Amino acid sequence: MDLNQQWQHEFPQDPKLCYLNHAAVAPWPKRAADAVSAFARENLIQGARDYPRWSRTEKHLREQLKALLNAPAASDIALVKNTSEALSFVAQGLSWAPGDEVLISDQEFPSNRIPWEALADQGVRVCSVALGNQPEQTLINAMTPRTRLLSISSVQYGSGLRMDLERLGQACRERGVLFCVDAIQTLGAQPLDVQTIDCDFAMADGHKWLLGPEGLGVFYCHGRVRDQLKLTQHGWHMVEAMGDYDRCDWQPARSARRFEAGSPNTLAQQALSASLSLLLEIGMDTVAAELDRRICLLASLLEAIPGVRILSNLSNERRSGILTFSVEGVALKELHRQLMDQGVICALRGGGIRWSPHFYTSSACLRRAVEQLEALIASQRDNNTSR
């Protein structure tokens, strides 16, 4: 039994769909939907009688995320609403001086741009670096004595460009620059080791490659820099003596829980923990290998279509779960709309159409998507010719 057959029952998707949009919002596996259904039923029948069990799920989820990130300890893991919140904790938590610089790339999603641009009133300068053909060296060359922090996406959302994070982490350490990684397009798709890349901060949402719900993500904060972030939110859940509600001499938790001000998203925790259990059962090396096989298959099929130009870098060290392409002489916006109408769920990003399968996507689904694409391209060209 191959991997796709082994886990097919976890993804009983509409057979009319070719879901190629995991880089945006992913479908849940069956076990996540079952966990939410059971949790809803529990709430209906008995409310929060077993709240201690919910707390155990929260603890287990931290351990799962620790394993996926290879974090030194579960205490380095905060459960946050989303990537933007985690990035804002860093941006608003650090003490800045006028003239400090933050380096980002020119390909970043707004989540990894706006929090830094919002520091302009503190005199912080955001340097957006055009990555070019040597992205890591270009970023390293852009560092100056005023560079305080480098914030980079592990994989660029539009092009699918995968960064050499280990090299960037080493350069940051050598120069005393803080290293922040938006890992949303890697975590759940490819292995990510925060200790190997030696980052200070890493964050990701649960609703993309992690196959979880929106509204719950992870914030990794290295112990060496945790105290450098002043807290911008406060509440009962972020104190060291959590549960001692009568205590007045509170202190922030020593762990990354200090970034979790109030009541946790218990519903989303049930779903995300279930989804992560699937990824951890399979193993991230296997997940990454299966996803890579699907990207390579898509690339070979697309390259056979006249006029299709693959925009993503498909070299071994740059390839990710994202494949973006354009089509010569075709209106991409209209082509995207037609693909969506035909059930090929994808996105318009990075100057082209972005396809992002996952490890479980069948080869039949991929071939059907390419066949539909080819037919739509031919139809558009016929229409253009007849005008």
Side-chain angles (χ1 to χ4, degrees):
M1 181 182 293
D2 66 23
L3 185 69
N4 183 50
Q5 292 175 324
Q6 183 179 356
W7 300 107
Q8 190 173 18
H9 68 282
E10 287 282 1
F11 299 95
Q13 294 168 12
D14 185 338
K16 297 178 182 177
L17 296 183
C18 294
Y19 203 94
L20 303 178
N21 209 23
H22 294 83
V25 179
W28 298 359
K30 183 178 182 296
R31 65 179 68 188
D34 289 346
V36 168
S37 296
F39 189 70
R41 182 70 180 174
E42 178 182 331
N43 276 267
L44 174 67
I45 300 301
Q46 64 181 40
R49 187 186 75 175
D50 288 340
Y51 198 95
R53 183 183 64 77
W54 302 358
S55 297
R56 290 194 295 273
T57 298
E58 178 181 317
K59 181 180 179 181
H60 180 57
L61 177 57
R62 292 182 202 278
E63 291 290 344
Q64 291 173 303
L65 289 164
K66 168 188 174 292
L68 278 173
L69 289 160
N70 193 33
S75 59
D76 298 319
I77 302 297
L79 303 175
V80 295
K81 293 194 292 290
N82 47 55
T83 309
S84 295
E85 182 179 56
L87 285 161
S88 294
F89 283 154
V90 179
Q92 296 300 321
L94 289 170
S95 296
W96 301 94
D100 281 349
E101 294 177 349
V102 174
L103 285 187
I104 63 172
S105 84
D106 63 342
Q107 298 185 28
E108 297 298 324
F109 191 75
S111 294
N112 195 30
R113 174 173 51 80
I114 292 173
W116 313 115
E117 292 176 343
L119 300 171
D121 61 352
Q122 299 183 48
V124 176
R125 177 171 174 258
V126 177
C127 303
S128 180
V129 178
L131 293 178
N133 295 325
Q134 297 181 310
E136 292 80 20
Q137 191 60 51
T138 302
L139 287 165
I140 293 168
N141 291 345
M143 294 180 183
T144 74
R146 301 310 301 264
T147 302
R148 180 81 183 282
L149 179 142
L150 166 65
S151 188
I152 193 73
S153 291
S154 54
V155 167
Q156 295 301 328
Y157 80 103
S159 66
L161 178 70
R162 177 156 55 105
M163 304 297 295
D164 185 344
L165 299 177
E166 188 173 353
R167 182 180 177 190
L168 291 174
Q170 180 180 351
C172 286
R173 293 284 78 78
E174 291 171 351
R175 294 160 176 78
V177 173
L178 292 169
F179 187 31
C180 180
V181 177
D182 179 345
I184 196 168
Q185 296 294 1
T186 296
L187 198 61
Q190 296 169 315
L192 180 72
D193 187 328
V194 295
Q195 296 191 67
T196 297
I197 66 176
D198 201 11
C199 64
D200 298 288
F201 315 104
M203 54 282 293
D205 269 298
H207 65 266
K208 296 183 188 294
W209 304 98
L210 292 175
L211 304 171
E214 290 191 294
L216 183 60
V218 58
F219 174 36
Y220 163 77
C221 183
H222 197 294
R224 69 188 171 212
V225 293
R226 203 169 297 149
D227 289 336
Q228 292 185 34
L229 299 184
K230 64 178 181 289
L231 298 174
T232 57
Q233 299 179 21
H234 300 82
W236 70 272
H237 197 266
M238 50 77 68
V239 299
E240 181 64 29
M242 186 178 68
D244 188 352
Y245 304 123
D246 296 324
R247 186 167 182 167
C248 295
D249 60 334
W250 63 272
Q251 296 293 328
R254 291 187 292 270
S255 71
R257 183 169 51 79
R258 63 172 50 198
F259 302 108
E260 304 170 16
S263 296
N265 188 343
T266 52
L267 179 65
Q269 287 177 1
Q270 301 291 324
L272 184 57
S273 181
S275 294
L276 297 192
S277 74
L278 175 62
L279 294 173
L280 290 168
E281 283 174 23
I282 298 171
M284 281 310 306
D285 287 340
T286 300
V287 167
E290 291 295 324
L291 175 56
D292 192 59
R293 281 178 51 200
R294 285 147 178 80
I295 290 296
C296 291
L297 174 59
L298 274 179
S300 66
L301 294 172
L302 289 171
E303 286 170 342
I305 302 175
V308 169
R309 176 175 171 244
I310 293 177
L311 304 178
S312 299
N313 188 326
L314 296 180
S315 62
N316 289 337
E317 67 275 11
R318 296 299 183 189
R319 202 161 56 239
S320 69
I322 289 172
L323 196 157
T324 304
F325 62 91
S326 62
V327 184
E328 183 182 353
V330 170
L332 289 179
K333 187 174 182 180
E334 176 63 13
L335 180 60
H336 173 254
R337 184 192 65 76
Q338 292 173 335
L339 283 168
M340 293 287 286
D341 289 345
Q342 293 293 319
V344 180
I345 310 304
C346 56
L348 197 61
R349 300 283 191 274
I353 291 174
R354 185 185 73 183
W355 283 1
S356 50
H358 213 323
F359 73 93
Y360 67 87
T361 311
S362 70
S363 58
C365 170
L366 300 179
R367 292 180 186 280
R368 190 165 71 251
V370 173
E371 288 170 2
Q372 290 172 321
L373 171 70
E374 195 165 14
L376 290 171
I377 291 172
S379 177
Q380 272 208 37
R381 287 175 174 161
D382 287 344
N383 289 339
N384 292 339
T385 302
S386 63
R387 287 177 183 172

